[in-house]
């Protein structure tokens, strides 16, 4: 009975898988037809139409990443051909997300940086913050934690510039980043900021408690670690986030494993395993089976150890196959991108060549026009200079005549001055002699004046006094007769007076002769 039942199950499962694949293919075709129709009929002049198109492509991505990227690139090329940049930033941002999900991180960064530049130009602060955070998360995937911290911190800084925008997601990302770097103090700093906020989303609180639980487990603070992880389970239950529940249960099991409480560790691992199988979380299953192997190594149990080791290898092979498919997908996308890049490069070369020709001709015409303008300006300048030179020549000629006339006058003045100078030199040469002679004459004159004064006071005065005295004696005579003796004396005095007057005359004549000399 059981064997008959087991024979029936595989065909039924195959039928269900085929039906599901058909439904998915039908949905895939439906989404592709919708995107084709929009590309053909819509103008995409408004950003809302572009965002709607990108939302549809995101739904298609979960079924066919290559097709989703193809339609996003087609939209970008259509807008570029129409020279319309409206909404291009959103297109680049979506391409960055698709590349990120495929693990093509260099292309993701290239797209994100292009989107960032456009969002900054449009001053779209919210999208700038989201893009900076996405760039930081991309660097985190590449394990470039320094660059990751730089861009996520920049996003956090810009959040403070926007009103009513919560930084909780960025704080969670920073906490996880520093946790991965094993910088637990910095991780706790950012995670505590979330716990101190009143209005935080349930998902952010769940991740915060999960990361704090992991950090406390790493630093061997088991009670605190278990507290935070148990709290995270409540938040995951509230939003029905099963993957988060699995992660928290795995971490709790690891705590019990470190404490050698194998029963509780096994219980949490069993619950996590059942849930991980249901949601097909192969990476978490691999973690669970590794913990189970560690559990049975310590606890003992050879059969269980071998069983979970086989499970671990089986899951690892499944992941390897999934990763191989993802890698093939990635290579396919990269090939398509390289082909498109070649076409764009070829078109860009043709455009560049045409632009160079136009630019060369434009430069030639521009240079020619500039040369003509400069030549015209030069002619005007030379003509103006010629007029100025003629005017200056006439002025110079007049000035030359005036200068010659002045030179003639100056020459005559110079001759006159030379003559005067000669006379002055001659006078200067004779001046000492003349001063000496004049001094001698003055001395002689002073002597004569002194002699004249002497004559005046003595020689001339004595005879006059004698005459006056004799006259007085004669007036005193009573009989009126003149005494001969008196008369003789009067004659003598008069003679002396005559001599004195004669000598005085000679002195005066000698003085006149000196003056004439």
């Amino acid at each position: 009975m059981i064997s008959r039942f087991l024979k029936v199950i595989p065909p039924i499962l195959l039928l269900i898988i085929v039906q599901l694949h058909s439904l998915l293919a039908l949905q895939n075709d439906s989404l592709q037809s919708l995107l084709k129709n929009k590309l053909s009929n819509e103008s995409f002049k408004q950003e809302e139409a572009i965002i709607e198109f990108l939302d549809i492509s995101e739904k298609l991505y979960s079924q066919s990443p290559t097709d989703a990227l193809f339609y996003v690139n087609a939209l970008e090329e259509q807008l570029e051909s129409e020279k319309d940049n409206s909404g291009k930033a959103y297109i680049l941002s979506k391409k960055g997300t698709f590349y990120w999900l495929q693990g093509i991180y260099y292309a993701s960064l290239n797209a994100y940086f292009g989107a960032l530049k456009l969002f900054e130009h449009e001053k779209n602060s919210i999208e700038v913050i989201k893009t900076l955070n996405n760039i930081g998360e991309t660097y985190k995937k590449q394990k470039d934690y320094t660059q990751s911290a730089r861009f996520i911190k920049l996003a956090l800084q810009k959040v403070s510039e926007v009103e009513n925008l919560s930084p909780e997601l960025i704080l969670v990302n920073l906490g996880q980043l520093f946790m991965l770097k094993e910088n637990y103090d910095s991780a706790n700093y950012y995670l505590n900021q979330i716990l101190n906020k009143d209005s935080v989303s349930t998902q952010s609180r769940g991740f915060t408690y999960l990361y704090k639980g992991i950090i406390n487990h790493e630093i061997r603070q088991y009670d605190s670690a278990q507290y935070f992880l148990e709290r995270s389970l409540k938040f995951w239950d509230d939003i029905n986030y099963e993957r988060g529940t699995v992660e928290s249960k795995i971490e709790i099991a690891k705590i019990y494993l470190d404490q050698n409480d194998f029963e509780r560790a096994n219980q949490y691992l069993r619950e996590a395993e059942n849930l991980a199988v249901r949601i097909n979380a192969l990476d978490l299953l691999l973690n669970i089976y590794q913990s189970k192997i560690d559990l049975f190594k310590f606890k003992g149990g050879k059969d269980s150890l071998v069983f979970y080791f086989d499970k671990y290898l089986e899951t690892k092979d499944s992941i390897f196959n999934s990763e191989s498919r993802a890698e093939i997908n990635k290579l396919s996308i990269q090939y398509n991108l390289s082909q498109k890049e070649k076409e764009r490069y070829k078109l860009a070369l043709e455009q560049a060549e045409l632009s160079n020709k136009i630019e060369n001709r434009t430069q030639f015409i521009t240079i020619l026009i500039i040369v003509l303008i400069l030549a015209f300006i030069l002619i005007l300048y030379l003509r103006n200079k010629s007029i100025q030179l003629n005017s200056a020549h006439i002025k110079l000629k007049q000035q030359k005549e005036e200068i010659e006339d002045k030179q003639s006058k100056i020459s005559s003045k110079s001759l006159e001055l030379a003559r005067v100078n000669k006379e002055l030199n001659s006078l200067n040469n004779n001046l000492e002699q003349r001063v000496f002679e004049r001094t001698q004459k003055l001395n002689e004159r002073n002597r004569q004046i002194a002699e004249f004064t002497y004559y005046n006071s003595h020689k001339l005065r004595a005879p006059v006094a004698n005459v006056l005295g004799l006259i007085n004696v004669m007036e005193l005579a009573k009989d009126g007769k003149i005494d001969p003796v008196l008369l003789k004396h009067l004659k003598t005095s008069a003679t002396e007076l005559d001599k004195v007057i004669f000598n005085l005359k000679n002195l005066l004549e000698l003085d006149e002769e000196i003056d004439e000399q």
Side-chain angles (χ1 to χ4, degrees):
M1 182 71 178
I2 294 172
S3 61
R4 195 176 294 173
F5 177 72
L6 291 173
K7 288 180 181 179
V8 173
I9 288 176
I12 293 172
L13 289 173
L14 182 62
L15 182 61
I16 291 170
I17 292 169
V18 169
Q19 289 295 325
L20 287 172
H21 187 269
S22 299
L23 288 171
L24 289 172
L26 184 62
Q27 186 181 5
N28 186 1
D29 292 340
S30 175
L31 290 172
Q32 289 195 52
S33 299
L34 181 58
L35 292 171
K36 279 182 185 177
N37 187 41
K38 283 185 173 292
L39 280 173
S40 302
N41 300 323
E42 291 194 19
S43 60
F44 298 103
K45 295 296 182 184
Q46 300 296 326
E47 283 187 353
E48 289 76 10
I50 294 171
I51 293 171
E52 182 184 355
F53 183 94
L54 295 173
D55 289 340
I56 297 169
S57 69
E58 188 171 0
K59 293 176 183 177
L60 177 62
Y61 182 87
S62 60
Q63 303 158 24
S64 177
T66 307
D67 291 331
L69 266 170
F70 170 79
Y71 285 107
V72 173
N73 284 325
L75 175 60
E76 183 181 14
E77 288 171 4
Q78 181 173 318
L79 292 177
E80 284 180 356
S81 65
E82 296 171 0
K83 296 182 179 179
D84 185 2
N85 284 329
S86 59
K88 185 175 180 180
Y90 291 99
I91 295 171
L92 291 172
S93 180
K94 186 63 68 177
K95 283 174 66 175
T97 302
F98 287 168
Y99 290 137
W100 187 88
L101 291 169
Q102 286 296 311
I104 312 172
Y105 298 123
Y106 73 91
S108 176
L109 285 172
N110 189 40
Y112 278 141
F113 276 116
L116 178 63
K117 184 178 180 181
L118 292 173
F119 282 135
E120 286 179 339
H121 179 72
E122 295 169 5
K123 296 182 179 179
N124 190 336
S125 300
I126 294 175
E127 292 300 329
V128 166
I129 292 166
K130 289 180 181 178
T131 308
L132 286 169
N133 183 66
N134 289 338
I135 291 171
E137 287 298 294
T138 308
Y139 278 121
K140 190 192 291 182
K141 283 289 184 182
Q142 292 181 315
K143 296 185 179 180
D144 188 347
Y145 297 134
T146 303
Q147 286 289 73
S148 176
R150 174 191 166 199
F151 282 96
I152 299 176
K153 283 182 178 179
L154 191 57
L156 182 63
Q157 178 185 340
K158 289 190 175 292
V159 166
S160 61
E161 300 172 4
V162 180
E163 293 183 2
N164 302 322
L165 185 63
S166 175
E168 59 185 66
L169 177 62
I170 299 171
L171 291 171
V172 169
N173 290 336
L174 279 170
Q176 184 198 28
L177 170 65
F178 286 107
M179 181 188 74
L180 293 172
K181 290 177 69 176
E182 298 183 358
N183 186 345
Y184 299 131
D185 290 337
S186 296
N188 277 321
Y189 169 77
Y190 290 108
L191 294 172
N192 288 337
Q193 289 188 47
I194 301 171
L195 296 180
N196 294 331
K197 292 183 179 295
D198 296 328
S199 56
V200 178
S201 68
T202 303
Q203 186 177 14
S204 294
R205 284 195 181 275
F207 278 115
T208 302
Y209 280 106
L210 172 61
Y211 295 150
K212 283 189 75 66
I214 294 171
I215 291 168
N216 279 278
H217 180 205
E218 291 295 330
I219 60 177
R220 302 291 186 238
Q221 293 183 4
Y222 297 119
D223 292 339
S224 297
Q226 189 163 351
Y227 165 78
F228 285 118
L229 291 169
E230 293 287 353
R231 289 291 304 272
S232 70
L233 283 174
K234 293 180 181 179
F235 291 114
W236 301 141
D237 290 340
D238 289 342
I239 60 175
N240 196 28
Y241 184 55
E242 294 177 329
R243 184 180 175 87
T245 301
V246 174
E247 289 186 62
S248 295
K249 284 182 179 292
I250 293 171
E251 293 300 325
I252 292 172
K254 287 180 179 179
I255 293 172
Y256 284 126
L257 192 59
D258 285 350
Q259 293 176 331
N260 295 325
D261 190 343
F262 301 124
E263 292 300 324
R264 288 189 180 181
N266 192 30
Q267 177 188 342
Y268 275 96
L269 286 172
R270 186 166 53 249
E271 292 173 1
E273 181 184 3
N274 293 334
L275 191 54
V277 169
R278 192 173 74 191
I279 63 174
N280 195 30
L282 296 179
D283 57 327
L284 295 179
L285 273 172
L286 196 66
N287 196 357
I288 291 167
Y289 294 142
Q290 180 63 61
S291 297
K292 287 264 192 178
I293 291 168
D294 294 336
L295 170 66
F296 288 109
K297 278 182 182 178
F298 292 116
K299 183 181 178 183
K302 183 179 178 181
D303 293 338
S304 298
L305 183 62
V306 171
F307 174 77
Y308 284 110
F309 188 76
D310 291 338
K311 283 278 190 182
Y312 177 83
L313 293 176
E314 182 183 341
T315 306
K316 193 171 184 181
D317 289 339
S318 298
I319 290 174
F320 176 76
N321 292 332
S322 299
E323 288 177 350
S324 297
R325 286 193 296 273
E327 190 64 29
I328 291 168
N329 244 351
K330 184 193 297 186
L331 292 172
S332 174
I333 292 169
Q334 288 175 334
Y335 175 76
N336 291 335
L337 287 174
S338 65
Q339 291 298 110
K340 291 183 182 299
E341 286 296 327
K342 285 178 183 177
E343 291 175 6
R344 286 183 183 177
Y345 182 69
K346 184 178 178 182
L347 182 61
L349 284 177
E350 291 174 357
Q351 289 178 344
E353 187 177 351
L354 182 60
S355 298
N356 285 335
K357 288 181 181 178
I358 294 170
E359 188 177 350
N360 289 336
R361 289 181 183 177
T362 305
Q363 286 178 351
F364 176 75
I365 293 169
T366 305
I367 291 169
L368 184 61
I369 291 170
I370 291 171
V371 169
L372 290 174
I373 292 170
L374 290 174
F376 180 72
I377 293 170
L378 184 61
I379 290 168
L380 290 177
Y381 175 76
L382 292 174
R383 184 172 177 277
N384 187 36
K385 279 293 180 183
S386 177
I387 293 169
Q388 289 179 356
L389 286 172
N390 289 333
S391 175
H393 181 69
I394 293 168
K395 287 181 180 178
L396 286 172
K397 189 175 180 181
Q398 291 175 351
Q399 289 175 356
K400 183 181 177 182
E401 292 175 354
E402 291 175 0
I403 288 168
E404 288 176 350
D405 184 50
K406 287 179 179 179
Q407 282 179 342
S408 177
K409 291 179 179 179
I410 289 169
S411 180
S412 62
K413 288 285 185 183
S414 297
L415 292 172
E416 186 176 351
L417 286 172
R419 183 182 58 78
V420 171
N421 190 36
K422 187 176 179 181
E423 290 178 357
L424 286 173
N425 287 332
S426 177
L427 288 172
N428 285 334
N429 293 331
N430 297 326
L431 184 59
E432 274 189 35
Q433 183 64 31
R434 294 182 65 187
V435 167
F436 177 75
E437 293 175 355
R438 187 66 178 169
T439 302
Q440 286 183 336
K441 290 179 181 180
L442 287 173
N443 290 334
E444 181 65 23
R445 182 70 175 272
N446 288 335
R447 186 188 61 76
Q448 290 176 356
I449 290 170
E451 188 176 349
F452 175 78
T453 304
Y454 174 80
Y455 268 94
N456 185 39
S457 59
H458 294 90
K459 300 281 184 177
L460 183 59
R461 187 70 178 163
V464 171
N466 291 332
V467 171
L468 289 174
L470 290 173
I471 291 171
N472 288 332
V473 171
M474 289 175 66
E475 286 178 352
L476 292 174
K478 295 180 180 181
D479 52 7
K481 294 180 180 179
I482 299 172
D483 189 354
V485 175
L486 290 172
L487 185 58
K488 180 181 179 183
H489 285 296
L490 183 60
K491 184 179 179 181
T492 301
S493 296
T495 302
E496 289 178 357
L497 180 60
D498 182 58
K499 286 181 181 179
V500 169
I501 289 170
F502 180 76
N503 290 333
L504 183 60
K505 178 186 174 186
N506 289 336
L507 284 171
L508 290 172
E509 285 177 354
L510 181 61
D511 184 44
E512 286 177 0
E513 287 178 3
I514 291 169
D515 287 340
E516 287 176 359
Q517 290 176 1

